[in-house]
Amino acid sequence: MSGQGRNLTPIIVERHGPKKAPMSSSLAKSVSLALLLSIALPVAVVPALELDTERFMPLEEVQPGMTGVGRSVFQGTTIEEFDAEIISILKNAFPKHDLILARLSGGPIEEAGVIAGMSGSPVYIDGRMIGAVGYSFGLFPKEPIAGITPIEQMLELFEREDRSTHPQLTRHEETWEELLAGFVYSRASEPSHTARSLAETAAIRHPLPSGGGISPVRTPLVLSGFDATAISEMTSLLDRFGFIPIQGGAYSGEEAAEIPLEPGAVLGVQLVGGDASAFAIGTLTYREGDRILAFGHSMFNSGQAAAPITNGYVHLVLKSLYDSYKMGAPVGIVGTLGQDRIPGITGRLGTEPDLIPFDITVASPGLPAPETFHLEIFDDPIFAPQFVRWSLASIVRTTNRGLGNITLHADTEVELRSGQTLHLDNIFSDLTAIDAAGEELGTSIALLMLNPLERAQIARMQTRVAIEETLRTASIERLHLEQTRVHPEEEVALHIWLRPHLERPIPVQTRIAVPADVPDGTYQLIVSDAATAQAIEVLRATWRFIPTEFDQLLHLLEDQDRNDEIILTLILPRPGAVVRGEELPLLPPSVLHVMQPELEAGEGGMTGGKVVFRTDISTDFVITGAKTIPLTVDRSESSVRK
C-alpha cells in the first residue's frame, strides 16, 4: 500500500495483564430499564465455551463494587491504564447478550468521557480480563459510564471463525434487482436505487440512538486524501454505523514491526489505503497466537468480512462535550479482518487481505501534466462502491476548479480475476458532472459485485479522467426528413438541428436506410439523447435488461450509449417477446399465445414493438432532448413519396 510499510509477519509479544486492583467498597447504582431499549440486534446461537478462569473472569463472578483497570492508547503508541468501577450487570441487554456497566476514570477520561476509539480496550479485575469497553450511554452524559462486552461473548467469535468458510460477498437477490432497476431507469429520471441509496438503505437499519439509549462507542474514521464534500457525504451515511469521519493525515515514524500488538494497543481497520486513506480506529482486546479480538462491538455487523487490519498511532485525544475521539493514523497492515459481529471483530495476523487496486489518472487545466493516484479499497460489495465513488469525486474536485461548469470524460477499465474485463466510457457536462461520473461508476461496480449470477472478484481498476473547464451541451431542437414514405433499403436524408449552450443552432446531417426484410407499415423514428433512448427501450422491452447470465450483465453494463451521442431508433409498434434475455420480434399472434405459459413462468416477457433500425451519431456535445417523426415503409410502385 502506497506510503505505508507493510509487515505481514506476526509480532510475537508476551501476553500479560495489568497489576491487580483492590476491591472497592462502593455499591452500584440502579440502572433505568429505558437504557436497555434502544437496540435490538440479532444473534446466532453458538456452543458455550470452556473459559480459562486463570486468564479470564467469568461474568458470573463480576459483582457491583469491584474495581479494575483498563488499557488503551491515548498518545503515540504507549499503552496506558485507566480505572473501572463495576456498577451493575445488564442481563440480556441485547438478545442473549449481557453488558457490564462500569464507571471509568483516569487519564484523559476525566475530561473527555468515554472516548471514541476506546472500543475494545480490555478491562481486568485482579489480573483477569472481564471484557472490553464497547458501549456508551446517552448523548451528553455527565460522567463516563461504559458498557463492557463480556469476554465470553467475544471469545465465541473465534468459534464462529473456525466454522466459517470464505466470505459470501453476494447479498440478497432482491437488493441486486432493485439496484439493477435503478441503474436502468436512472439515466432518464432521478435514480431511486443507486450505489449511494443502497448504502443508505443499509444505514437505516442502524438507527441513531435516542438521548438515553445504549450505543456502541463511536469509531473515528480518520480520512486523508478526501475533500470536505466527500467527508460531509460520508458523515451523513456512516454516522448511523457509529463512525465519526474526521479529516486527518498519514503518519511517518515507527515501522509496523516496532509496535507491539498486545491488549490495549491501537488496532484499526483500513477501508482505503494509498494516496487516499480511510482508517477506523479501535483497540486490540485479546491476542491468541496469530488470532486477535477487538472493538467490543461490530463495525458494520457484516458477519464474515475481509479487510486489512493495521496497528496505528494516536496523535491526540480531541476532547468534546458531544464526541471526544482519538485522532490517529495507520502504521502498517498486520493481518486480515475475519468476523464482524455484535460482540466485536476478529482478525488473523500475518495474512494478506484481498484488496481492489484502483488507479485514477486525471488530466486537468489545474495540473501541469496528467497525474495518477494509486488507491487500494477493501473488498466489500456494499461499501467498496461507495469508496470508489467518493475517491473518484474527491480526487477530481481537488485537481480541478471548485466552482463552475465543467466537461468530464471518464474512461474505466475493470479487470476481473476470472480474466474477463469491463470497459465503461462516458462524458458529462454541467455543474454536477463530477458527482454524476462518480455515481455512475459506483453503481456499475455495485451491480458487478452484488450480482447473484457469478462471483465477481475485481483484480484491478483504472479510471482515466479528462477535464475541460467549459460547458459542452446541446439540445435537439428540430428534425426534417426529406422523404416520409420509402421503399425498403432506400436511403433518405435526415437533418437534425442542435442548439449548443449560448450558441446558434447547428445542423447535423445523416442518411438512413430501412432494412430490406421489414414489413410495410408506419414506423416511429426517434431522435434522442442516450438517457431517453434507454428509457424508451426499457419501456419497450423491459426483460432485455434483466440478465440471466454473467456475460449478459457485463454486456449490459458495457453497452451503454454515451451522453455525447445522438441516438436514432426506428420502431415498428408490433408485439414480440424476450425469452432468457433473447428478443424474438414480430411473432405471429398464434406463436405468442403458445409461448404465454413460458413467459408467465418468469422466463421472459412481452415487448411493445420491434426496433428495426438503431444507430448513433457522435458529437462534440453532451446531448439532451428528443424528437419523433413518422416514417412509412411502402413497397407498392404507386406509393407517393414526400
Side-chain angles (χ1 to χ4, degrees):
M1 189 170 292
S2 176
Q4 294 184 8
R6 176 175 291 195
N7 187 324
L8 298 180
T9 303
I11 306 160
I12 306 301
V13 298
E14 181 180 356
R15 286 194 302 270
H16 61 277
K19 58 187 178 182
K20 296 182 180 180
M23 294 283 289
S24 169
S25 60
S26 62
L27 297 177
K29 297 181 180 179
S30 62
V31 181
S32 169
L33 182 62
L35 296 176
L36 310 181
L37 301 179
S38 64
I39 298 179
L41 300 167
V43 59
V45 176
V46 294
L49 290 172
E50 281 193 27
L51 201 64
D52 181 350
T53 55
E54 291 187 3
R55 288 188 292 173
F56 307 112
M57 179 177 287
L59 181 61
E60 62 189 21
E61 293 185 22
V62 179
Q63 299 296 322
M66 287 182 167
T67 59
V69 294
R71 310 180 81 211
S72 200
V73 174
F74 302 112
Q75 175 76 50
T77 59
T78 302
I79 298 172
E80 301 178 42
E81 293 187 355
F82 59 89
D83 297 321
E85 177 189 352
I86 307 304
I87 298 173
S88 187
I89 309 298
L90 305 183
K91 300 296 290 184
N92 208 36
F94 316 132
K96 300 293 185 181
H97 278 68
D98 305 325
L99 282 181
I100 302 167
L101 191 64
R103 181 180 291 105
L104 308 184
S105 60
I109 296 173
E110 298 289 346
E111 296 181 37
V114 180
I115 300 164
M118 286 185 67
S119 300
S121 298
V123 178
Y124 302 82
I125 293 177
D126 294 337
R128 294 189 293 167
M129 187 184 296
I130 65 169
V133 173
Y135 293 83
S136 59
F137 295 82
L139 298 179
F140 296 97
K142 292 187 175 181
E143 54 182 337
I145 305 298
I148 297 172
T149 302
I151 189 60
E152 297 102 308
Q153 293 168 189
M154 296 185 69
L155 288 169
E156 286 173 354
L157 294 176
F158 281 161
E159 298 297 311
R160 292 175 184 264
E161 194 171 52
D162 291 340
R163 295 193 304 273
S164 296
T165 57
H166 194 282
Q168 176 53 260
L169 297 181
T170 299
R171 300 299 198 260
H172 302 295
E173 286 193 24
E174 61 267 23
T175 300
W176 182 77
E177 290 172 358
E178 290 173 354
L179 185 63
L180 178 64
F183 173 78
V184 167
Y185 284 101
S186 65
R187 301 186 73 185
S189 61
E190 286 298 315
S192 58
H193 290 90
T194 60
R196 181 191 318 207
S197 66
L198 180 65
E200 288 171 348
T201 299
I204 289 171
R205 297 170 186 162
H206 292 70
L208 289 168
S210 62
I214 306 173
S215 60
V217 174
R218 289 165 67 77
T219 304
L221 183 65
V222 182
L223 303 162
S224 63
F226 292 94
D227 71 340
T229 302
I231 292 175
S232 175
E233 192 175 313
M234 288 184 203
T235 300
S236 65
L237 174 63
L238 297 178
D239 183 62
R240 288 184 176 272
F241 290 94
F243 288 98
I244 308 175
I246 54 176
Q247 200 149 18
Y251 169 73
S252 58
E254 298 172 271
E255 293 294 327
E258 298 173 0
I259 302 175
L261 278 175
E262 58 182 295
V266 176
L267 188 93
V269 178
Q270 183 99 26
L271 306 182
V272 180
D275 290 327
S277 174
F279 169 62
I281 300 178
T283 303
L284 191 152
T285 304
Y286 172 68
R287 176 175 175 180
E288 184 179 89
D290 63 352
R291 302 197 299 179
I292 58 97
L293 291 170
F295 278 35
H297 58 72
S298 66
M299 189 171 64
F300 294 114
N301 195 22
S302 57
Q304 291 173 257
I309 54 175
T310 76
N311 49 18
Y313 181 92
V314 176
H315 296 294
L316 80 161
V317 171
L318 188 64
K319 300 168 186 175
S320 166
L321 292 175
Y322 178 59
D323 265 325
S324 298
Y325 59 83
K326 298 180 183 182
M327 178 179 285
V331 175
I333 295 176
V334 295
T336 304
L337 184 67
Q339 296 282 319
D340 172 22
R341 299 186 186 273
I342 298 305
I345 64 172
T346 70
R348 192 170 291 272
L349 303 177
T351 59
E352 188 168 0
D354 291 333
L355 301 172
I356 301 174
F358 182 28
D359 289 349
I360 302 171
T361 300
V362 181
S364 167
L367 296 171
E371 189 169 349
T372 299
F373 300 81
H374 305 282
L375 308 176
E376 289 179 311
I377 299 175
F378 81 125
D379 192 352
D380 178 87
I382 298 292
F383 289 97
Q386 307 309 310
F387 282 102
V388 165
R389 179 169 66 87
W390 288 325
S391 301
L392 178 63
S394 288
I395 287 171
V396 173
R397 275 193 293 262
T398 54
T399 55
N400 185 64
R401 67 182 184 184
L403 295 174
N405 289 303
I406 66 166
T407 297
L408 183 154
H409 177 209
D411 187 291
T412 299
E413 289 284 345
V414 181
E415 294 181 12
L416 303 180
R417 295 187 183 179
S418 62
Q420 296 161 293
T421 60
L422 174 65
H423 180 221
L424 305 170
D425 183 25
N426 211 344
I427 188 167
F428 309 85
S429 186
D430 60 12
L431 288 168
T432 65
I434 295 173
D435 291 330
E439 189 71 71
E440 185 166 289
L441 178 59
T443 302
S444 297
I445 297 304
L447 278 167
L448 190 66
M449 297 182 73
L450 278 163
N451 89 86
L453 305 170
E454 181 179 312
R455 189 174 181 212
Q457 291 182 282
I458 298 176
R460 62 179 296 274
M461 292 175 55
Q462 182 171 16
T463 296
R464 297 177 180 86
V465 176
I467 300 289
E468 297 177 46
E469 293 182 349
T470 185
L471 184 65
R472 288 206 288 113
T473 61
S475 60
I476 298 172
E477 189 166 81
R478 62 189 179 95
L479 309 176
H480 174 67
L481 269 175
E482 290 189 354
Q483 296 173 201
T484 58
R485 186 178 294 269
V486 297
H487 286 296
E489 295 189 291
E490 182 179 2
E491 284 194 348
V492 59
L494 171 66
H495 301 272
I496 307 167
W497 279 266
L498 301 178
R499 181 178 286 276
H501 179 66
L502 299 179
E503 296 181 20
R504 293 181 177 276
I506 59 174
V508 176
Q509 182 173 325
T510 188
R511 299 187 69 83
I512 62 173
V514 177
D517 58 348
V518 301
D520 288 0
T522 299
Y523 295 72
Q524 293 295 321
L525 177 62
I526 304 171
V527 180
S528 70
D529 58 36
T532 303
Q534 178 162 300
I536 292 170
E537 185 64 2
V538 169
L539 292 174
R540 186 193 70 83
T542 304
W543 283 91
R544 283 193 58 245
F545 294 85
I546 304 177
T548 57
E549 302 290 341
F550 185 68
D551 286 342
Q552 291 177 351
L553 172 62
L554 292 179
H555 179 73
L556 174 65
L557 295 175
E558 195 168 77
D559 193 33
Q560 299 293 307
D561 296 312
R562 282 174 44 128
N563 291 331
D564 60 349
E565 295 173 338
I566 302 172
I567 312 300
L568 310 181
T569 310
L570 188 63
I571 296 179
L572 177 64
R574 291 187 185 177
V578 173
V579 178
R580 299 183 186 92
E582 182 178 351
E583 185 169 354
L584 306 174
L586 303 179
L587 296 175
S590 58
V591 176
L592 285 173
H593 179 73
V594 171
M595 294 179 62
Q596 196 64 33
E598 189 174 12
L599 299 180
E600 291 176 354
E603 296 292 334
M606 300 290 293
T607 63
K610 162 64 178 173
V611 173
V612 298
F613 174 87
R614 193 178 194 275
T615 189
D616 57 74
I617 303 172
S618 295
T619 74
D620 294 327
F621 307 97
V622 170
I623 301 298
T624 59
K627 300 291 181 183
T628 303
I629 191 169
L631 178 64
T632 300
V633 176
D634 188 350
R635 286 177 168 78
S636 65
E637 291 294 332
S638 60
S639 63
V640 179
R641 300 183 181 89
K642 297 182 180 179

